[in-house]
């Protein structure tokens, strides 16, 4: 696959599976400012299969392995830790396929444990893999044995779309519901009680009356990340373009003051060392923000926009590199007809 170079500007997405997302939304503004060193997007790993349509990604920071999930059928893939290709070198599809360590293995097959899809993925400090199923809830697996440890289901029959998740410092998992506009919580005690069985998800934050006005059933909350210090969560409203600070201790919700842009069409988020990376799915963009220590404000520092991101749905930063899922949802997936480019890949992005 050809290596691409892009311009990054200083300035001032996880699922897209319903038709409401096809409605016109204002694009992320691109400021014309000082030009920095070119960013690079290059293939890092192949996800085998002709209809993968990947959605989520997670890094095991203990081992360097990456996990990616298929929105199409719920397959979860695992990569062998390996350094991405050198930025100055070009890599063909055949080369990627022939390099055994660069082709991901199937970690959990399609339909495992009754899951119909795989959206958000996270690895917690104990090495457990959390996988959301947009139609039902979240499942927790032992990455060593691949055994299902517990499953948490959304209560009630009203519309739902379980989307992304974050693991807080205290071990609690927080899961967004894009249709109900709530964030569920699973505490370590909840996980211990449900071990080997099933339990019900309980909302911790309800943002229904806080978000910008939207039509019933519209997709709102999507990506979510946890402050490493354990004080707050940041959750993006992809419809309204706002970022919200959720106080873990008190349950208080407040809008983050954004400067230099917004987070419209925001999908996956990544927060490290005071920097927040956001993928804007249908805009084929990645933005980088400087977040205030208390999480009340954020200033956009850079923006990368290019079609080769192929509808990025989420990202993770591991060992200094951003790994971005290229969903191709608009090529025969939930966002449109056509034929995807094979193979599906996870891209390595540097320079933003």
């Amino acid at each position: 696959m050809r290596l691409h170079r892009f311009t990054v500007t200083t300035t001032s997405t996880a699922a897209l599976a319903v038709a409401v997302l096809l409605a016109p939304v204002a694009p992320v503004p691109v400021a014309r400012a000082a030009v920095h060193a070119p960013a690079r997007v290059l293939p890092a790993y192949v996800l085998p299969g002709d209809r993968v349509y990947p959605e989520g990604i997670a890094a095991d920071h203990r081992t360097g392995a990456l996990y990616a999930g298929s929105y199409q059928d719920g397959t979860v893939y695992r990569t062998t830790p390996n350094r991405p290709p050198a930025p100055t070198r070009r890599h063909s599809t055949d080369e990627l396929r022939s390099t055994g360590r660069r082709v991901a293995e199937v970690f959990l097959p399609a339909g495992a444990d009754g899951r119909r899809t795989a959206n958000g993925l996270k690895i917690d400090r104990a090495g457990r893999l959390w996988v959301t199923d947009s139609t039902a809830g979240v499942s927790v697996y032992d990455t060593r044995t691949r055994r299902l440890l517990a499953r948490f289901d959304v209560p009630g029959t009203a519309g739902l779309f379980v989307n992304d998740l974050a693991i807080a410092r205290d071990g609690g998992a927080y899961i967004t519901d894009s249709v109900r506009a709530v964030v569920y919580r699973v505490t370590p005690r909840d996980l211990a009680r449900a071990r080997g069985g099933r339990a019900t998800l309980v909302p911790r934050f309800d943002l229904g009356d806080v978000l910008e006005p939207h039509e019933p059933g519209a997709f709102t909350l999507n990506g979510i990340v946890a402050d490493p210090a354990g004080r707050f969560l940041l959750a993006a409203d992809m419809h309204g373009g706002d970022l919200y600070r959720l106080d873990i201790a008190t349950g208080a919700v407040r809008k983050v003051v954004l400067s230099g842009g917004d987070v419209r069409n925001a999908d996956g988020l990544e927060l490290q060392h005071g920097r927040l990376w956001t993928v804007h799915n249908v805009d084929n963009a990645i933005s980088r923000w400087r977040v205030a220590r208390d999480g009340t404000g954020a200033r956009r520092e850079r923006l990368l926009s290019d079609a080769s991101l192929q509808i990025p749905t989420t990202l993770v930063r591991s060992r200094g590199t951003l790994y971005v899922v290229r969903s191709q949802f608009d090529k025969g997936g939930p966002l449109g007809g056509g034929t995807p480019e094979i193979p599906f890949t996870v891209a390595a992005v540097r320079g933003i």
Side-chain angles (χ1 to χ4, degrees):
M1 184 174 291
R2 182 179 178 183
L3 174 67
H4 299 274
R5 292 175 179 268
F6 308 105
T7 298
V8 180
T9 58
T10 298
T11 68
S12 38
T13 304
L16 302 172
V18 296
V20 67
L21 291 184
L22 294 175
V25 178
V28 176
V30 181
R32 305 298 180 184
V35 176
H36 290 254
R40 294 178 171 89
V41 178
L42 55 152
Y45 295 101
V46 165
L47 302 177
D50 294 336
R51 295 189 61 80
V52 179
Y53 298 106
E55 164 68 2
I57 192 169
D60 188 338
H61 296 294
R62 306 168 309 156
T63 67
L66 299 177
Y67 294 79
S70 166
Y71 174 81
Q72 183 72 19
D73 60 18
T75 300
V76 175
Y77 301 89
R78 180 171 64 183
T79 71
T80 301
N82 195 17
R83 298 184 64 178
T88 58
R89 187 180 175 193
R90 299 177 184 272
H91 292 260
S92 68
T93 296
D94 289 340
E95 182 180 3
L96 284 168
R97 284 192 180 280
S98 66
T99 306
R101 297 185 67 190
R102 294 194 181 281
V103 179
E105 66 171 336
V106 173
F107 179 74
L108 297 171
D113 307 300
R115 279 188 302 99
R116 298 166 59 182
T117 187
N119 294 16
L121 278 71
K122 282 294 184 298
I123 301 284
D124 65 19
R125 292 186 177 183
R128 294 176 293 238
L129 172 65
W130 297 66
V131 182
T132 63
D133 177 340
S134 61
T135 67
V138 62
S139 300
V140 188
Y141 294 90
D142 185 319
T143 53
R144 184 178 58 85
T145 65
R146 311 188 190 203
R147 182 170 62 93
L148 176 66
L149 300 176
R151 179 163 178 164
F152 295 86
D153 301 309
V154 175
T157 58
L160 67 134
F161 199 101
V162 184
N163 208 324
D164 204 357
L165 75 157
I167 308 294
R169 186 176 182 178
D170 64 1
Y174 294 84
I175 303 108
T176 57
D177 189 320
S178 297
V179 170
R180 297 188 182 185
V182 302
V183 176
Y184 306 105
R185 179 176 65 177
V186 178
T187 68
R189 180 175 294 183
D190 295 333
L191 180 58
R193 288 174 176 171
R195 201 170 181 86
R198 304 174 78 121
T200 300
L201 284 171
V202 177
R204 168 56 173 156
F205 300 94
D206 188 339
L207 283 76
D209 295 330
V210 178
L211 302 179
E212 292 295 319
H214 55 276
E215 295 295 324
F219 270 46
T220 55
L221 298 180
N222 200 329
I224 186 169
V225 288
D227 163 39
R231 298 166 297 171
F232 59 85
L233 306 160
L234 296 176
D237 171 15
M238 67 178 299
H239 183 274
D242 297 310
L243 190 66
Y244 290 87
R245 183 190 188 278
L246 315 179
D247 192 288
I248 291 176
T250 68
V253 176
R254 64 182 297 177
K255 187 183 294 187
V256 176
V257 178
L258 301 178
S259 62
D262 60 34
V263 293
R264 194 175 304 276
N265 299 328
D267 209 320
L269 309 177
E270 176 76 336
L271 178 64
Q272 290 188 15
H273 308 297
R275 280 180 170 169
L276 175 72
W277 288 268
T278 303
V279 294
H280 304 262
N281 45 43
V282 295
D283 297 303
N284 285 315
I286 303 173
S287 58
R288 193 187 80 193
W289 304 74
R290 173 62 67 180
V291 179
R293 296 186 66 179
D294 62 2
T296 60
R299 174 176 54 85
R300 196 172 78 183
E301 296 179 319
R302 294 193 179 188
L303 178 71
L304 165 67
S305 179
D306 197 277
S308 76
L309 290 170
Q310 299 178 322
I311 313 295
T313 48
T314 194
L315 76 173
V316 68
R317 190 169 188 263
S318 179
R319 304 182 180 183
T321 297
L322 286 176
Y323 292 95
V324 182
V325 172
R326 301 200 276 195
S327 74
Q328 300 194 68
F329 277 2
D330 60 335
K331 298 177 180 177
L335 280 184
T339 303
E341 180 181 329
I342 303 299
F344 286 92
T345 61
V346 173
V349 180
R350 291 179 172 178
I352 182 171

